[in-house]
Amino acid sequence: MVNKCEQHRKLALAIRLIKRNLRTSIVAVHTNLSATQLRTLYHEIHGHASVSGMFPESDRLFASHQRALEASIILTAYLNCAGADALRRIDIEALLRAHDFYMDVRQECTGLNQSAIDLTMAWILARDLRSCVVDLRTCPCGIRFAVHEQQRIRAHCPVCGLPPLSTTNAAAHSFTPPVPTDAGHLTDRFC
């Protein structure tokens, strides 16, 4: 029998995730709550049914340099928050912190012409990083950037334009990304 505190913790997590529009099937994975419970909860919170159907593919984020850069921010922050564990399982708390950091960084930017990457797509990126469909590579300038195995744009640093130093998943994943110290107040929320 699951104790009451654990039930409340799972319900509180489900509410946090649903408020951020995470797909209920993903919420079920992280909370072990039933699909019926989660659909009802989603409807109570948002006033409409949850999105259903197939998940979007992460390769669509790699059709433009701006989107690839945004995916890189999320994944680098996620690796900083979750550590090596990110390559074994999806740490939902670390992903929430990484997505919050990304949203803070995005708020500081001007001239962005596309909507923000939502939490569901961030989860898909984390899943694809774990399965090596998406890889983080290191540029000679020190920037980490994401590369998708089926991306439509040339794989190069989104900042300086140079090709990566590492080209294999093992070499790229073995690098521990540094926490940026020059990002001002944004580093307060960066793990």
Side-chain angles (χ1 to χ4, degrees), residues 141-178:
C141 75
I143 296 293
R144 302 265 329 230
F145 62 98
V147 177
H148 193 282
E149 68 181 11
Q150 297 176 358
Q151 78 180 45
R152 299 172 194 134
I153 58 174
R154 188 171 69 91
H156 64 81
C157 177
V159 176
C160 73
L162 291 174
L165 287 172
S166 58
T167 57
T168 64
N169 290 331
H173 287 321
S174 66
F175 176 81
T176 302

Short mmCIF file of all heavy atoms in Angstrom, two decimals, residues 141-178:
data_model
loop_
_atom_site.label_atom_id
_atom_site.label_comp_id
_atom_site.label_asym_id
_atom_site.label_seq_id
_atom_site.Cartn_x
_atom_site.Cartn_y
_atom_site.Cartn_z
N CYS A 141 35.26 26.86 -29.50
CA CYS A 141 35.07 28.08 -28.72
C CYS A 141 34.55 27.78 -27.31
O CYS A 141 34.45 28.67 -26.48
CB CYS A 141 34.13 29.05 -29.43
SG CYS A 141 32.38 28.60 -29.37
N GLY A 142 34.22 26.51 -27.03
CA GLY A 142 33.76 26.11 -25.69
C GLY A 142 32.26 25.97 -25.55
O GLY A 142 31.78 25.48 -24.53
N ILE A 143 31.51 26.37 -26.54
CA ILE A 143 30.05 26.29 -26.48
C ILE A 143 29.61 24.85 -26.73
O ILE A 143 30.15 24.17 -27.60
CB ILE A 143 29.41 27.22 -27.55
CG1 ILE A 143 29.74 28.67 -27.26
CG2 ILE A 143 27.90 26.99 -27.67
CD1 ILE A 143 29.11 29.22 -26.01
N ARG A 144 28.63 24.39 -25.96
CA ARG A 144 28.01 23.09 -26.19
C ARG A 144 26.78 23.31 -27.06
O ARG A 144 26.02 24.23 -26.82
CB ARG A 144 27.58 22.47 -24.87
CG ARG A 144 28.69 22.28 -23.88
CD ARG A 144 29.32 20.93 -23.90
NE ARG A 144 28.42 19.90 -24.26
CZ ARG A 144 28.24 18.78 -23.59
NH1 ARG A 144 28.91 18.57 -22.50
NH2 ARG A 144 27.41 17.86 -24.01
N PHE A 145 26.59 22.47 -28.06
CA PHE A 145 25.40 22.62 -28.89
C PHE A 145 24.84 21.26 -29.27
O PHE A 145 25.55 20.27 -29.37
CB PHE A 145 25.67 23.48 -30.12
CG PHE A 145 26.69 22.93 -31.07
CD1 PHE A 145 26.30 22.22 -32.20
CD2 PHE A 145 28.04 23.13 -30.86
CE1 PHE A 145 27.23 21.73 -33.09
CE2 PHE A 145 28.99 22.65 -31.74
CZ PHE A 145 28.58 21.93 -32.86
N ALA A 146 23.51 21.24 -29.44
CA ALA A 146 22.80 20.01 -29.75
C ALA A 146 22.81 19.73 -31.24
O ALA A 146 22.74 20.65 -32.06
CB ALA A 146 21.36 20.11 -29.24
N VAL A 147 22.89 18.45 -31.57
CA VAL A 147 22.84 17.98 -32.95
C VAL A 147 21.89 16.79 -32.98
O VAL A 147 21.96 15.91 -32.13
CB VAL A 147 24.25 17.55 -33.44
CG1 VAL A 147 24.20 16.99 -34.84
CG2 VAL A 147 25.23 18.71 -33.35
N HIS A 148 21.00 16.78 -33.96
CA HIS A 148 20.06 15.68 -34.14
C HIS A 148 20.56 14.79 -35.27
O HIS A 148 21.09 15.29 -36.27
CB HIS A 148 18.67 16.23 -34.48
CG HIS A 148 17.59 15.22 -34.39
ND1 HIS A 148 17.38 14.27 -35.37
CD2 HIS A 148 16.66 14.99 -33.43
CE1 HIS A 148 16.35 13.51 -35.02
NE2 HIS A 148 15.90 13.93 -33.85
N GLU A 149 20.37 13.49 -35.14
CA GLU A 149 20.88 12.58 -36.17
C GLU A 149 20.21 12.79 -37.53
O GLU A 149 20.78 12.42 -38.55
CB GLU A 149 20.74 11.12 -35.73
CG GLU A 149 19.32 10.62 -35.63
CD GLU A 149 19.23 9.18 -35.17
OE1 GLU A 149 20.25 8.61 -34.73
OE2 GLU A 149 18.13 8.61 -35.26
N GLN A 150 19.05 13.44 -37.56
CA GLN A 150 18.36 13.70 -38.83
C GLN A 150 18.14 15.19 -39.06
O GLN A 150 17.19 15.57 -39.72
CB GLN A 150 17.01 12.98 -38.85
CG GLN A 150 17.14 11.49 -38.78
CD GLN A 150 15.78 10.81 -38.70
OE1 GLN A 150 14.74 11.44 -38.65
NE2 GLN A 150 15.80 9.49 -38.70
N GLN A 151 19.01 16.02 -38.51
CA GLN A 151 18.76 17.45 -38.63
C GLN A 151 18.93 17.95 -40.06
O GLN A 151 19.65 17.38 -40.86
CB GLN A 151 19.62 18.24 -37.66
CG GLN A 151 21.05 18.45 -38.03
CD GLN A 151 21.74 19.27 -36.95
OE1 GLN A 151 21.57 19.02 -35.76
NE2 GLN A 151 22.50 20.26 -37.36
N ARG A 152 18.22 19.03 -40.35
CA ARG A 152 18.16 19.58 -41.71
C ARG A 152 19.18 20.68 -41.96
O ARG A 152 19.33 21.14 -43.08
CB ARG A 152 16.76 20.11 -41.96
CG ARG A 152 15.71 19.04 -41.84
CD ARG A 152 14.31 19.61 -41.91
NE ARG A 152 13.39 18.59 -41.45
CZ ARG A 152 12.42 18.79 -40.61
NH1 ARG A 152 12.20 19.98 -40.12
NH2 ARG A 152 11.64 17.81 -40.24
N ILE A 153 19.85 21.12 -40.91
CA ILE A 153 20.83 22.19 -41.05
C ILE A 153 22.22 21.62 -40.78
O ILE A 153 22.36 20.58 -40.15
CB ILE A 153 20.53 23.38 -40.10
CG1 ILE A 153 20.50 22.91 -38.65
CG2 ILE A 153 19.25 24.09 -40.51
CD1 ILE A 153 20.35 24.01 -37.63
N ARG A 154 23.24 22.33 -41.24
CA ARG A 154 24.62 21.90 -41.03
C ARG A 154 24.95 21.93 -39.54
O ARG A 154 24.59 22.87 -38.84
CB ARG A 154 25.55 22.85 -41.79
CG ARG A 154 27.01 22.41 -41.81
CD ARG A 154 27.82 23.27 -42.75
NE ARG A 154 27.99 24.63 -42.30
CZ ARG A 154 29.00 25.06 -41.54
NH1 ARG A 154 29.93 24.23 -41.16
NH2 ARG A 154 29.09 26.33 -41.18
N ALA A 155 25.63 20.90 -39.06
CA ALA A 155 25.99 20.82 -37.64
C ALA A 155 27.22 21.68 -37.37
O ALA A 155 28.34 21.32 -37.71
CB ALA A 155 26.28 19.37 -37.26
N HIS A 156 26.98 22.85 -36.81
CA HIS A 156 28.07 23.72 -36.42
C HIS A 156 27.63 24.57 -35.24
O HIS A 156 26.45 24.67 -34.93
CB HIS A 156 28.56 24.59 -37.59
CG HIS A 156 27.52 25.55 -38.09
ND1 HIS A 156 27.27 26.75 -37.48
CD2 HIS A 156 26.68 25.49 -39.15
CE1 HIS A 156 26.31 27.38 -38.14
NE2 HIS A 156 25.94 26.64 -39.15
N CYS A 157 28.60 25.18 -34.60
CA CYS A 157 28.33 26.01 -33.43
C CYS A 157 27.37 27.14 -33.80
O CYS A 157 27.62 27.87 -34.76
CB CYS A 157 29.64 26.58 -32.90
SG CYS A 157 29.43 27.70 -31.49
N PRO A 158 26.29 27.31 -33.03
CA PRO A 158 25.35 28.38 -33.34
C PRO A 158 25.89 29.77 -33.00
O PRO A 158 25.33 30.77 -33.40
CB PRO A 158 24.13 28.04 -32.50
CG PRO A 158 24.66 27.20 -31.39
CD PRO A 158 25.85 26.49 -31.93
N VAL A 159 27.03 29.82 -32.30
CA VAL A 159 27.60 31.11 -31.92
C VAL A 159 28.69 31.54 -32.89
O VAL A 159 28.63 32.62 -33.48
CB VAL A 159 28.14 31.07 -30.47
CG1 VAL A 159 28.81 32.38 -30.11
CG2 VAL A 159 27.01 30.75 -29.49
N CYS A 160 29.70 30.68 -33.10
CA CYS A 160 30.83 31.10 -33.94
C CYS A 160 30.84 30.46 -35.33
O CYS A 160 31.58 30.90 -36.20
CB CYS A 160 32.15 30.81 -33.23
SG CYS A 160 32.57 29.07 -33.16
N GLY A 161 30.05 29.40 -35.52
CA GLY A 161 29.95 28.77 -36.84
C GLY A 161 30.96 27.69 -37.11
O GLY A 161 30.97 27.10 -38.19
N LEU A 162 31.84 27.38 -36.15
CA LEU A 162 32.83 26.33 -36.35
C LEU A 162 32.21 24.95 -36.18
O LEU A 162 31.24 24.79 -35.44
CB LEU A 162 33.99 26.49 -35.35
CG LEU A 162 34.90 27.69 -35.54
CD1 LEU A 162 35.89 27.77 -34.39
CD2 LEU A 162 35.63 27.60 -36.87
N PRO A 163 32.78 23.92 -36.83
CA PRO A 163 32.30 22.55 -36.61
C PRO A 163 32.71 22.06 -35.23
O PRO A 163 33.62 22.62 -34.61
CB PRO A 163 32.98 21.75 -37.72
CG PRO A 163 34.18 22.55 -38.09
CD PRO A 163 33.84 23.99 -37.83
N PRO A 164 32.07 21.01 -34.72
CA PRO A 164 32.37 20.53 -33.37
C PRO A 164 33.72 19.83 -33.27
O PRO A 164 34.25 19.33 -34.26
CB PRO A 164 31.24 19.53 -33.10
CG PRO A 164 30.84 19.05 -34.45
CD PRO A 164 31.02 20.22 -35.37
N LEU A 165 34.25 19.80 -32.03
CA LEU A 165 35.46 19.03 -31.75
C LEU A 165 35.13 17.55 -31.72
O LEU A 165 35.85 16.73 -32.25
CB LEU A 165 36.05 19.42 -30.38
CG LEU A 165 36.73 20.77 -30.29
CD1 LEU A 165 37.07 21.07 -28.83
CD2 LEU A 165 37.98 20.79 -31.13
N SER A 166 34.04 17.20 -31.04
CA SER A 166 33.67 15.80 -30.89
C SER A 166 32.56 15.45 -31.87
O SER A 166 31.69 16.24 -32.14
CB SER A 166 33.22 15.53 -29.45
OG SER A 166 32.13 16.36 -29.13
N THR A 167 32.63 14.22 -32.38
CA THR A 167 31.60 13.81 -33.34
C THR A 167 30.95 12.49 -32.96
O THR A 167 30.11 12.00 -33.67
CB THR A 167 32.20 13.66 -34.74
OG1 THR A 167 33.28 12.74 -34.68
CG2 THR A 167 32.66 14.99 -35.28
N THR A 168 31.31 11.91 -31.82
CA THR A 168 30.67 10.67 -31.41
C THR A 168 29.88 10.91 -30.14
O THR A 168 30.22 11.76 -29.32
CB THR A 168 31.71 9.57 -31.13
OG1 THR A 168 32.52 9.98 -30.02
CG2 THR A 168 32.60 9.30 -32.33
N ASN A 169 28.84 10.12 -29.96
CA ASN A 169 27.99 10.26 -28.78
C ASN A 169 28.79 10.07 -27.49
O ASN A 169 28.62 10.81 -26.54
CB ASN A 169 26.84 9.26 -28.82
CG ASN A 169 25.84 9.61 -29.90
OD1 ASN A 169 25.67 10.77 -30.22
ND2 ASN A 169 25.19 8.60 -30.44
N ALA A 170 29.65 9.06 -27.45
CA ALA A 170 30.39 8.78 -26.23
C ALA A 170 31.29 9.95 -25.85
O ALA A 170 31.35 10.36 -24.70
CB ALA A 170 31.22 7.51 -26.39
N ALA A 171 31.99 10.51 -26.83
CA ALA A 171 32.89 11.63 -26.53
C ALA A 171 32.11 12.86 -26.11
O ALA A 171 32.51 13.56 -25.19
CB ALA A 171 33.74 11.95 -27.76
N ALA A 172 30.99 13.11 -26.73
CA ALA A 172 30.21 14.30 -26.41
C ALA A 172 29.56 14.18 -25.03
O ALA A 172 29.53 15.13 -24.27
CB ALA A 172 29.14 14.54 -27.46
N HIS A 173 29.05 12.99 -24.69
CA HIS A 173 28.37 12.82 -23.41
C HIS A 173 29.33 12.75 -22.23
O HIS A 173 28.92 12.95 -21.10
CB HIS A 173 27.51 11.56 -23.43
CG HIS A 173 26.28 11.69 -24.26
ND1 HIS A 173 25.52 12.83 -24.33
CD2 HIS A 173 25.67 10.80 -25.08
CE1 HIS A 173 24.50 12.64 -25.14
NE2 HIS A 173 24.57 11.42 -25.62
N SER A 174 30.61 12.48 -22.46
CA SER A 174 31.54 12.36 -21.35
C SER A 174 31.96 13.72 -20.80
O SER A 174 32.50 13.81 -19.72
CB SER A 174 32.78 11.57 -21.78
OG SER A 174 33.50 12.30 -22.76
N PHE A 175 31.71 14.77 -21.52
CA PHE A 175 32.08 16.12 -21.11
C PHE A 175 31.09 16.63 -20.07
O PHE A 175 29.90 16.50 -20.23
CB PHE A 175 32.07 17.03 -22.33
CG PHE A 175 32.34 18.47 -22.01
CD1 PHE A 175 33.62 18.94 -21.82
CD2 PHE A 175 31.29 19.37 -21.90
CE1 PHE A 175 33.86 20.26 -21.53
CE2 PHE A 175 31.52 20.69 -21.61
CZ PHE A 175 32.81 21.14 -21.43
N THR A 176 31.59 17.19 -18.97
CA THR A 176 30.72 17.79 -17.98
C THR A 176 30.62 19.28 -18.27
O THR A 176 31.61 20.00 -18.20
CB THR A 176 31.29 17.60 -16.55
OG1 THR A 176 31.44 16.21 -16.32
CG2 THR A 176 30.36 18.20 -15.52
N PRO A 177 29.41 19.75 -18.62
CA PRO A 177 29.28 21.16 -18.99
C PRO A 177 29.46 22.08 -17.79
O PRO A 177 28.99 21.77 -16.71
CB PRO A 177 27.84 21.25 -19.54
CG PRO A 177 27.13 20.08 -18.98
CD PRO A 177 28.16 19.03 -18.70
N PRO A 178 30.18 23.18 -17.97
CA PRO A 178 30.37 24.12 -16.87
C PRO A 178 29.12 24.96 -16.65
O PRO A 178 28.35 25.19 -17.58
CB PRO A 178 31.52 25.00 -17.35
CG PRO A 178 31.39 24.96 -18.84
CD PRO A 178 30.87 23.60 -19.18
#
